[in-house]
Each structure stands twice: as C-alpha cells, then as structure tokens.
C-alpha cells in the first residue's frame, strides 16, 4: 500500500469514526490495519460536539471538561455531566468546525434530541445561533416561553431570516405580478418599455418586406403601465398547525410582499380551530406577524375559508391561496362545497400542500383529489415556483397544467 493510499484510507476511516462514534473504533482500527486510531485535535473536538448530541453524553462540555485536545477520550461514550453543559463553548465549536448547512441540522437536533432550549432562552447563546428557517419555526413554537430578556435577540434572529427570504423572493414576485397585471390591458400611449412585441409582430406580419427581409409595422401596440390601486384581491389563508411551520414562514413573507404592492388588496389569515386575521401585522412588519402565529393545535379549515369569503367583492378579480395539509378537523363536506362554490363564482383558487424547499409533504390525499376534481389544484410548491404560479393565476392560465409543467422542470 502506497503512502498516499494509506493516507486516504486513514482519512476515510477517521470520517467514519466521527459519524459512527467511539463504539465502532475497534472495528474501524481492524479495517484500517491500525493498532490505535488517533483523531487529530480538530477531529477530537468535532467528535466531542457530536457526542454531546447523538450519544447522550456531554462530559467534554460539562464544568471541568476541557472539550479540546483530549483525543478520543473526548469522544462518544464519555459519560455524564448532563446538567452543566457549557452551551456557549459547544456552539462555538460547532460553528467553527462544521459547514453552515450542517450547523443548522446540529442546532435543531440539540433542541429536539436533548431539549437544550437554553439555546433560545439566553440572549448571549441565542446571538451565537446560526439563523435559519428551522430555528425560526422553533422560536415560533416556543415564543410564549421565551424570557423577556431574550425577546429582542429572538426578534433580531427572526428578522435576519425574514430579510433573507424577502431578498430571495421579492424581485421575482414583483416582476411576475406586475407583468401579469400590465399585460391584461393595452394603451394607445407610446412607451418603449411598454411595447408589446408579440402582438405588434403578429398584427403586422402582412407588412413583411420579403426583398429586404424586414418587418415594417404599420401600427405599434403598448401595454398599459399605469399603476392601478387594488386591482386584485389576494387572500392568503394559512394553516398554523405545527407540521406547517416552514410553510407558514414562507407564506408570511409572501403576504408581506403582496401587501407592499399597490395593485393588490392583500388579506392574510391564519387558523387552527380559531381564525386570526393578521393582515395589519403582515403589512406593517412580517416579523410581528410571525410572532402572532401560534403553531400547533387542531384544524378547522372550513371555518377559516368561511371567514375569508367575506373579503370577496369581485370574484373574477380575486385570488384565494389556501396553504394547508388538508387534515380537516371541522366539517369536511362543507369545506368541499364552499371551495367548489367559490371556484364556480369566478375566484381563482389554489391549495398549496406545502410551501418549502424540504421534502415531500404529508397531506390528506383523498381530500386533495376531491378539491382538484372541483377545480382547485392541490400540490406542493417550492418558493421558487410561487411567482410563476401567481402570475399564471392572475392571467387565467390552467393552473393544473402550469403546476405539472413547473414540477417537471
């Protein structure tokens, strides 16, 4: 075995040692043909940080534990010390040694597996947490338990995530909605930026000069770029059950973007067994809106849809977006009938089973099929798909076909 091959094997074995823990060290040493598998100082610190979460031991981070340079003895299976974990040092080690996406997973596992809610209850610890959408969901679920001294730090963390999501979605959403509304009307007033190229070319094909191979338009067509206030009503009806946390966050950001657009009259409603109108908070500050959400509890979708119906004044100028997993705890038959009647009146309806970048959602498949048959397409949607879906709805496109096209893409 060459030195290079041996080095690669030792590196691979070390990585598996970090993944599987101290319990498998003997097997790995046998595989590597080594009498003693030695972790580097950095690997030992990584092993201790992982052991604190995944092997139910936190000796290296308890009072008196060094946590650094302790070799494999700092690894998994190191023992007790559960009640006195130095979370500040643990967070520092995790953030300095692991990639950002891995840090997010480890942080959330620390809360879920070990119950380390101190991460969220002490300002100095919370300030060290990497902001991400899962952490915001955890803060929303625990917001009633967060001490006063920590609330401002929690707000800053949520704001950092909201600002990032807004930056990712806002430009595409504004462009999609503005384009969809502007292209529905034309004006005789000339404007180079508003030139409708497609219609101009199509209407002037008879004026094509074959000798010179050019099109000589006799008439130009322009989109009406005038900004019209409250041209459409958009209603976001959001299920705030615990499983919908990531969807709630994305939907809240979307609602804030809609609310900032003069052409849209935006309403934002959240529900469990009760209905809460968060339109004002969403328009003023989406962070305030998120802190107004109460994750968990039962679900009465029909009750919420009934409430939202009061905002429909012009059905053919209304877009209703229902964000839910469709596990209805209320009157399911009434919900189906209500959604069908809303659709038949001219309202553009969508049901987003999930609004997130994560995996396949859990939802009531039978109810989703029923709503789809009645004209309300039901599908999971990544945030990147949302601008085109909204534009398609405003333009009157077949949403079921558009969704299939986007999902295939």
């Amino acid at each position: 075995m060459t030195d290079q091959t041996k080095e690669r094997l030792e590196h691979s074995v070390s990585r598996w040692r970090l993944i599987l823990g101290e319990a498998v060290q003997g097997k790995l040493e046998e595989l590597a043909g080594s009498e003693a598998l030695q972790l580097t100082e950095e690997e030992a610190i990584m092993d201790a940080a992982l052991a604190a979460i995944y092997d139910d031991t936190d000796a290296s981070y308890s009072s008196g534990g060094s946590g650094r340079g302790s070799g494999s003895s700092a690894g998994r299976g190191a023992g007790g010390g559960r009640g006195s974990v130095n979370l500040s040092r643990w967070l520092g080690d995790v953030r300095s040694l692991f990639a950002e996406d891995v840090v997010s997973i480890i942080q959330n596992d620390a809360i879920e597996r070990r119950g380390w809610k101190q991460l969220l209850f002490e300002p100095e610890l919370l300030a060290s947490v990497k902001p991400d959408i899962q952490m915001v969901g955890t803060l929303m679920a625990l917001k009633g338990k967060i001490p006063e001294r920590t609330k401002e730090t929690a707000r800053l963390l949520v704001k950092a995530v909201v600002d990032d999501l807004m930056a990712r979605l806002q430009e595409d959403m504004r462009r999609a909605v503005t384009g969809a509304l502007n292209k529905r009307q034309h004006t005789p007033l000339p404007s180079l930026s508003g030139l409708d190229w497609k219609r101009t070319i199509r209407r002037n094909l008879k004026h094509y000069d074959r000798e010179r191979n050019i099109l000589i338009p006799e008439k130009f067509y322009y989109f009406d770029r005038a900004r019209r206030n409250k041209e459409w009503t958009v209603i976001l009806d959001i299920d705030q059950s615990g499983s919908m946390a990531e969807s709630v966050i994305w939907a809240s950001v979307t609602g804030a973007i809609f609310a900032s657009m003069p052409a849209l009259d935006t309403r934002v409603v959240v529900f469990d067994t009760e209905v809460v109108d968060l339109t004002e908070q969403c328009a003023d500050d989406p962070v305030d809106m998120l802190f107004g959400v109460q994750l968990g509890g039962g679900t009465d979708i029909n009750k919420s849809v009934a409430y939202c119906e009061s905002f429909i004044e012009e059905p053919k100028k209304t877009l209703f977006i229902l964000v839910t997993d469709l596990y209805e705890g209320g009157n399911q038959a009434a919900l189906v009938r209500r959604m069908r009647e809303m659709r038949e009146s001219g309202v553009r309806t969508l049901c987003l089973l999930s609004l997130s970048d994560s995996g396949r959602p859990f939802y009531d498949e039978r109810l989703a099929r029923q709503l789809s048959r009645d004209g309300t397409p039901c599908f999971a949607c990544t945030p990147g798909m949302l601008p085109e879906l909204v534009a398609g709805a405003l333009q009157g496109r077949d949403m079921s076909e558009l969704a299939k096209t986007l999902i295939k893409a």
Side-chain angles (χ1 to χ4, degrees):
M1 181 184 297
T2 65
D3 291 342
Q4 187 176 14
T5 302
K6 183 178 180 181
E7 183 178 343
R8 283 202 301 267
L9 177 60
E10 289 176 351
H11 176 74
S12 177
V13 171
S14 295
R15 306 314 280 179
W16 278 109
R17 163 65 178 78
L18 290 173
I19 293 169
L20 300 175
E22 191 175 25
V24 301
Q25 181 155 333
K27 293 285 186 181
L28 291 174
E29 288 175 345
E30 181 181 341
L31 176 64
S34 171
E35 294 183 0
L37 173 61
Q38 293 294 325
L39 299 178
T40 65
E41 181 177 2
E42 182 177 283
E43 289 172 339
I45 298 170
M46 295 173 72
D47 190 50
L50 294 172
I53 303 302
Y54 301 105
D55 281 358
D56 201 29
T57 173
D58 43 47
S60 297
Y61 292 95
S62 62
S63 56
S66 67
R68 294 186 180 276
S70 51
S72 61
S73 63
R76 303 173 185 198
R82 184 179 181 84
S84 55
V85 180
N86 188 328
L87 291 179
S88 181
R89 193 178 72 219
W90 178 81
L91 268 174
D93 287 347
V94 169
R95 287 174 64 92
S96 64
L97 294 172
F98 294 93
E100 285 193 5
D101 55 341
V102 178
V103 171
S104 296
I105 295 171
I106 294 175
Q107 285 177 173
N108 284 286
D109 283 350
I111 294 171
E112 293 178 8
R113 287 171 173 259
R114 299 300 307 274
W116 285 0
K117 295 183 177 65
Q118 300 99 303
L119 289 173
L120 308 180
F121 292 168
E122 297 295 335
E124 61 274 13
L125 289 175
L126 187 59
S128 301
V129 167
K130 178 188 178 295
D132 60 49
I133 197 167
Q134 288 79 21
M135 189 60 66
V136 170
T138 303
L139 282 170
M140 290 164 58
L142 296 173
K143 71 178 189 300
K145 302 177 183 178
I146 297 176
E148 285 294 329
R149 67 181 183 276
T150 312
K151 285 185 177 178
E152 184 55 32
T153 307
R155 179 181 173 80
L156 292 174
L157 186 149
V158 174
K159 185 177 186 304
V161 174
V162 168
D163 288 347
D164 175 64
L165 301 185
M166 289 278 282
R168 290 170 58 183
L169 192 60
Q170 188 167 29
E171 184 178 349
D172 288 344
M173 184 65 76
R174 284 183 174 277
R175 186 187 304 114
V177 172
T178 302
L181 296 181
N182 284 342
K183 291 184 179 181
R184 297 182 64 82
Q185 298 187 24
H186 287 77
T187 176
L189 300 178
S191 167
L192 181 59
S193 63
L195 182 61
D196 184 347
W197 289 98
K198 186 175 181 180
R199 189 176 188 185
T200 297
I201 293 172
R202 187 174 64 248
R203 293 291 183 88
N204 287 282
L205 285 175
K206 60 185 177 182
H207 303 298
Y208 182 73
D209 188 325
R210 295 182 180 275
E211 292 184 2
R212 289 185 288 175
N213 290 325
I214 60 173
L215 182 69
I216 306 175
E218 182 177 83
K219 183 178 180 180
F220 291 89
Y221 296 86
Y222 303 93
F223 292 127
D224 183 1
R225 295 297 188 189
R227 180 172 289 182
R228 294 173 292 279
N229 288 332
K230 312 306 180 188
E231 185 180 354
W232 274 76
T233 296
V234 177
I235 305 169
L236 269 172
D237 194 18
I238 307 167
D239 183 345
Q240 62 177 348
S241 58
S243 62
M244 298 293 292
E246 189 171 342
S247 296
V248 169
I249 296 168
W250 273 111
S252 300
V253 170
T254 301
I257 295 171
F258 287 159
S260 69
M261 304 174 75
L264 302 180
D265 179 16
T266 304
R267 311 295 307 195
V268 179
V269 173
V270 297
F271 66 90
D272 40 37
T273 54
E274 299 298 325
V275 180
V276 181
D277 193 327
L278 294 177
T279 300
E280 290 188 10
Q281 293 94 318
C282 184
D284 294 338
D285 187 344
V287 176
D288 280 346
M289 180 192 162
L290 287 174
F291 277 109
V293 170
Q294 181 62 58
L295 292 176
T299 310
D300 193 333
I301 309 173
N302 178 59
K303 183 177 182 180
S304 185
V305 174
Y307 175 80
C308 291
E309 285 181 321
S310 64
F311 304 128
I312 302 174
E313 296 181 359
E314 294 185 66
K316 293 183 179 179
K317 288 286 187 176
T318 301
L319 171 60
F320 178 73
I321 303 175
L322 178 61
V323 184
T324 179
D325 55 17
L326 291 177
Y327 285 110
E328 172 66 306
N331 191 327
Q332 190 173 114
L335 170 63
V336 171
R337 182 175 64 254
R338 198 178 298 279
M339 290 295 295
R340 182 191 306 123
E341 291 172 352
M342 185 187 295
R343 175 69 178 171
E344 290 173 348
S345 73
V347 175
R348 312 275 170 83
T349 57
L350 291 174
C351 178
L352 301 182
L353 304 167
S354 172
L355 182 57
S356 71
D357 287 315
S358 52
R360 184 176 180 179
F362 292 98
Y363 61 95
D364 188 323
E365 295 185 20
R366 189 192 64 78
L367 184 52
R369 285 194 297 269
Q370 178 64 59
L371 293 180
S372 295
R373 282 195 297 268
D374 289 343
T376 297
C378 301
F379 47 86
C381 173
T382 64
M385 292 168 56
L386 192 56
E388 192 165 348
L389 282 171
V390 171
L394 296 177
Q395 292 168 342
R397 297 176 62 182
D398 185 319
M399 297 310 298
S400 296
E401 292 302 317
L402 177 58
K404 291 177 183 177
T405 301
L406 291 174
I407 290 171
K408 287 180 180 177

